[in-house]
Amino acid sequence: MKKTGPIPHVLTLLVLAILFALPAGILVLVGLAPGWRFPDLWPKRFSFTGIEFLITHRDQILTALASSFFYSLATVFVTLVMCLTPAAAFARQRFAGKRLLEALLLTPALVPPMTFAMGLHVVFIRLSLADTVAGVILILALFTYPYMFRALVAGFQTLGEQYRTCAKNLGAGPVAIFWQVELPLLVPAMIAGGSVVFLVAFSEYFLVFLMGGGTVPSFTGFLMPLLASSNRSLAAILTLIFLLLPILLFFVIDGSLMRTYRKKGMA
Amino acid sequence: MFWAPSRTAILILKLSPLILPFVVLFCGGVFLTVCQSLGIFTPLPHTGGILAAYGVILSDPSFLGSFGFSLGVALVSAAASVAAGTFLAYRVWQLPKALAGAALVYKIPLILPHIAVAFVVLIFWSRSGILSSLAWHLGLIQSMPDFPNVLYSGWGLGMILAYTLKGTPFAMLLILALLVRFDVRQIQTAAMLGASKRRIFFSIVLPRLAPAMHTSFIILFLYSFGAFDIPYILSESRPGMLSLNVYNLYFKHDLARRPEAMAILTLMLFFAVVFIIAYSRTVTRLENGVRKL
């Protein structure tokens, strides 16, 4: 193939930066310059009023953030429990109606979530699940489990049968095989599925609003009224927190995972 | 004979953590939506016939307007996302190793929630926004009102921009996952045989990427068709997205109109299911007609 110079590659990166990184940069500027107005291309004056507001309202913000963080992690956990054994069965066993069942099981992530969530709302109210964290986690898990399911099925498929056979031949029982052999090897797939589930749950506004009814604090719920307000600076700062928290979380998980693997001599 | 039923039983047991919530919560939720659209299980006793709500909805011209509008916004944004995502993913895949790390910035909108992406569109495209300021500095406009009214044009452009900004990285992610396993030698062979860059992209790369493109199109299209978060921030008054109509009927009107909200949801669900089936059938038929390498 004909070698091309570096210019097209730099161009690619430039386009990516303008499309995807520039918005984040602008958010930083908006956050630090509440008085930034048309037609200035660069803010005339920077101030920390946005950050000051953040500090004075820190209790409320931290509560919302902690609540979002908690129900999103719980959703990851619930989807994991829901999907582990079915994913193993789907990856390894043949049975009648498997393709149809798989297609059916993936629909909750495809059809508009409103269509089943609003129907369930009445029942959740009757069962006193509405306006509770449990209700929020349930509805989020129902909407996000297909991502976990897909990731785990793929994980089981790449895992193959060899490890299992090997452990069996060495005398391990099914429980030991599952906990000591397969589960550790599935961690990358769990993290892949779990990060999607976490992100979708963490950034969802409507389902949390519907089932949480305002009594379950959420970061999206806290942010929403501010986005439409005239105080753009504050909304920008909070949006940046939204960006930083998942990135931070992934770095922590990635780091600890690498350390564990190294300790066990797997990497 | 002794083993056969118990194997099935074990299989059912293994599948049950997923089947049970699916049947009880998902199918149950859909069932309740349909029931309430027919006037059953509604908070208020339903007066009128069993299909009364559908009669009201379907005879209302604004429903058809909203339906067409939602369809248009979803189609344009999903198509734009897949097109841009495919092209950018291909370019990112071609990047030399040293530069590939920098390309990870594409994941930023994936992490940002939909409402935050809508906010970004607001900051950039409103008449007092960044692009308007830029146009003023370039001498393209003399004052704020000279800047085109992108967000309130009546065409849903703001929502399309937001969905495309959020959807492009998503399509890139799915397509890059396929490209990682793509054999470079196919491209090298084609180039040696004299194929142009355009020819290589359209005749060799694109057909390999088709599965990921179809998947991302279905997901993005149906999401933008029925989601609430972005329209809540960027919607214009009329015609509105269907999800907003449902929200207004459900939360802002009296309980007697609950069946109407549910009837719209039922029609949306019906459309989504028909779309998924029709789309995957068409793709399968098209792919059967294509010669495989």
Side-chain angles (χ1 to χ4, degrees), chain A residues 19-20 23, chain B residues 81 106 109-110 117 120-121 160-170:
Chain A
L19 283 180
F20 306 128
Chain B
S81 301
Y106 87 86
L110 276 178
V117 172
V120 165
V121 168
I160 292 175
L161 283 167
Y163 278 128
T164 310
L165 183 59
K166 181 86 181 149
T168 304
F170 179 78

Side-chain angles (χ1 to χ4, degrees), chain A residues 4 8-9 12 20 38-39 82 85-86 93 104 110 114-116 119 121-123 145 203 205-206 224 227 239, chain B residues 14 17 22 25-26 32-33 36 91 94 96 109 113 116 119 132 137 197 222 228-229 232-233 243 250 265 269:
Chain A
T4 44
H9 295 315
T12 307
F20 306 128
F38 177 89
M82 281 166 74
T85 54
Q93 275 166 275
L104 280 176
L110 289 178
M114 262 186 163
T115 54
F116 54 86
H121 191 213
V122 196
V123 182
Y145 80 79
S203 52
Y205 168 76
F206 179 74
M224 187 57 118
L227 293 178
T239 306
Chain B
K14 272 186 179 171
F22 175 79
L25 290 174
F26 178 73
L32 284 168
T33 301
Q36 289 184 68
R91 298 302 308 250
Q94 288 176 320
F119 180 59
S132 178
H137 276 271
K197 275 186 178 171
L222 286 176
F228 174 79
D229 293 9
Y232 193 53
I233 296 175
S243 54
Y250 194 89
L265 286 177
L269 182 82

Side-chain angles (χ1 to χ4, degrees), chain A residues 195-212:
Chain A
S195 21
V196 181
V197 170
F198 181 87
L199 276 182
V200 175
F202 196 64
S203 52
E204 177 63 36
Y205 168 76
F206 179 74
L207 292 178
V208 179
F209 162 77
L210 179 74
M211 288 306 181

Side-chain angles (χ1 to χ4, degrees), chain A residues 1 4 8-10 12-13 15-17 19-24 26-27 30 36-41 81-83 85-86 89-90 93 95 101 104-105 107-108 110-116 118-124 126 138 142-143 145 147 149 199 203-206 209-210 220 223-224 227 232 235-236 239 242-243 246-247 250, chain B residues 11 14-15 17-19 21-22 25-26 29-30 32-33 36 41 88 91-92 94-96 99 102-103 105-106 108-113 115-116 119-120 122-124 126-128 130 132-134 136-137 141 143-144 165 168-169 172 187 191 197 218-219 222-223 226 228-229 232-233 243 246-247 250-251 262 265 268-269 272-273 276:
Chain A
M1 214 168 131
T4 44
H9 295 315
V10 173
T12 307
L13 287 180
V15 170
L16 290 178
L19 283 180
F20 306 128
L22 184 69
I26 296 285
L27 283 176
V30 173
W36 191 8
R37 293 276 175 274
F38 177 89
D40 298 336
L41 267 184
V81 171
M82 281 166 74
C83 297
T85 54
F90 265 92
Q93 275 166 275
F95 50 89
L101 190 61
L104 280 176
L105 285 175
T107 42
L110 289 178
V111 300
M114 262 186 163
T115 54
F116 54 86
M118 283 178 125
L120 276 179
H121 191 213
V122 196
V123 182
F124 274 41
R126 293 249 172 95
L138 261 183
L142 192 61
F143 176 52
Y145 80 79
Y147 302 104
F149 182 62
L199 276 182
S203 52
E204 177 63 36
Y205 168 76
F206 179 74
F209 162 77
L210 179 74
T220 38
L223 183 60
M224 187 57 118
L227 293 178
R232 287 193 166 174
T239 306
F242 242 126
L243 190 63
I247 294 179
F250 295 150
Chain B
L11 180 67
K14 272 186 179 171
L15 294 177
L18 210 47
I19 305 277
F22 175 79
L25 290 174
F26 178 73
V30 167
L32 284 168
T33 301
Q36 289 184 68
F41 300 138
L88 286 174
R91 298 302 308 250
V92 166
Q94 288 176 320
L95 285 178
L99 295 176
V105 294
Y106 87 86
I108 289 175
L110 276 178
I111 301 173
L112 283 177
I115 56 172
F119 180 59
V120 165
L122 218 57
I123 290 178
F124 271 80
S126 71
R127 277 184 160 166
S128 58
I130 308 285
S132 178
S133 301
L134 185 67
W136 188 84
H137 276 271
I141 60 171
S143 64
M144 227 193 268
L165 183 59
T168 304
M172 284 177 75
I187 292 180
K197 275 186 178 171
I218 291 186
I219 293 177
L222 286 176
Y223 187 86
F228 174 79
D229 293 9
Y232 193 53
I233 296 175
S243 54
V246 173
Y247 172 83
Y250 194 89
F251 287 107
M262 294 299 168
L265 286 177
M268 283 166 76
L269 182 82
V273 171
I276 297 170

Side-chain angles (χ1 to χ4, degrees), chain B residues 49-118:
Chain B
I50 201 155
L51 291 174
Y54 290 91
V56 175
I57 295 298
L58 291 173
S59 62
D60 182 1
S62 80
F63 168 75
L64 283 179
S66 290
F67 188 87
F69 185 66
S70 303
L71 208 67
V73 168
L75 260 176
V76 174
S77 58
S81 301
V82 172
T86 308
F87 178 70
L88 286 174
Y90 183 53
R91 298 302 308 250
V92 166
W93 180 66
Q94 288 176 320
L95 285 178
K97 268 227 170 84
L99 295 176
L104 285 177
V105 294
Y106 87 86
K107 289 192 175 174
I108 289 175
L110 276 178
I111 301 173
L112 283 177
H114 284 89
I115 56 172
V117 172

